[in-house]
Amino acid sequence: MKKLILAAIIAIFAFAANAQSNTEEIDLMQSVYGMQKKDLVAKHMKLEADQADLFWQIYDEYEVARKEIGLKRVKNIELYAEKYGNLTNEDADVLIKASIEIQSDFIKLWQKTYKKMAKSINSVTAAQFIQAESFFENMVRQELSMEIPFIGEFETK
């Protein structure tokens, strides 16, 4: 299962890393990612018939919020790429603060979703979902970390 998930996520982000940064392509990437990801979540979750409708309703709400956070991450990466060659102290401060806020937003979304899902369905299902989401997010962060150069890695002057 992990190999399937890893292969899907790497393929998605390989495409994303090579995509131009206009809004239509970002929307397309998120649309494709959301559909593929939903299939992966469906294979991972062990839902009782009476849980499925409520789970997918909560999942869809979650995905809307997750995609908004993802757009913030994309914009921050674009800003980093724009500023990379002449990064000032102020630029670095803005970029890192935004990155920390984005990570905080993911944690807050997981907390909110876990609480709602645990109350509406059960804690085991909620934990299983958050565990899967944590795995997906870690894979995304790992892939991005491998694609985005460190500050000063490439001298552009």
Side-chain angles (χ1 to χ4, degrees):
M1 177 68 176
K2 286 186 179 181
K3 287 182 183 180
L4 173 67
I5 293 169
L6 176 62
I9 290 173
I10 288 173
I12 291 162
F13 278 93
F15 166 77
N18 294 319
Q20 295 178 2
S21 63
N22 68 43
T23 305
E24 292 166 347
E25 287 179 332
I26 292 170
D27 290 344
L28 176 62
M29 185 219 26
Q30 286 190 333
S31 173
V32 170
Y33 175 69
M35 288 184 68
Q36 290 180 350
K37 182 173 170 268
K38 190 170 186 173
D39 291 340
L40 293 171
V41 170
K43 289 179 182 181
H44 174 71
M45 298 302 297
K46 312 246 185 310
L47 299 170
E48 301 293 327
D50 61 332
Q51 299 173 333
D53 288 341
L54 186 53
F55 174 83
W56 291 114
Q57 178 185 348
I58 296 169
Y59 173 85
D60 289 341
E61 292 170 11
Y62 170 86
E63 277 297 295
V64 168
R66 186 198 58 78
K67 287 178 183 180
E68 288 176 16
I69 298 168
L71 276 176
K72 287 169 51 176
R73 177 170 32 206
V74 168
K75 289 178 183 176
N76 200 44
I77 292 169
E78 289 173 344
L79 181 60
Y80 178 67
E82 177 186 319
K83 301 288 185 176
Y84 183 83
N86 296 306
L87 192 67
T88 65
N89 288 326
E90 293 79 18
D91 294 335
D93 192 48
V94 167
L95 289 163
I96 291 301
K97 285 181 179 178
S99 182
I100 291 168
E101 181 181 324
I102 290 163
Q103 293 308 308
S104 177
D105 289 348
F106 275 116
I107 298 295
K108 289 175 188 171
L109 178 59
W110 291 346
Q111 289 171 331
K112 176 183 172 186
T113 303
Y114 175 82
K115 184 177 180 179
K116 184 173 188 174
M117 199 175 282
K119 183 178 180 183
S120 301
I121 301 173
N122 65 56
S123 294
V124 171
T125 299
Q128 185 181 23
F129 175 69
I130 298 302
Q131 185 179 40
E133 283 301 309
S134 177
F135 177 81
F136 295 142
E137 176 58 17
N138 287 334
M139 294 305 300
V140 167
R141 291 185 72 199
Q142 180 179 0
E143 183 64 25
L144 289 172
S145 294
M146 293 176 7
E147 297 291 331
I148 298 172
F150 285 107
I151 295 170
E153 182 175 352
F154 299 111
E155 292 299 323
T156 58
K157 295 179 183 178

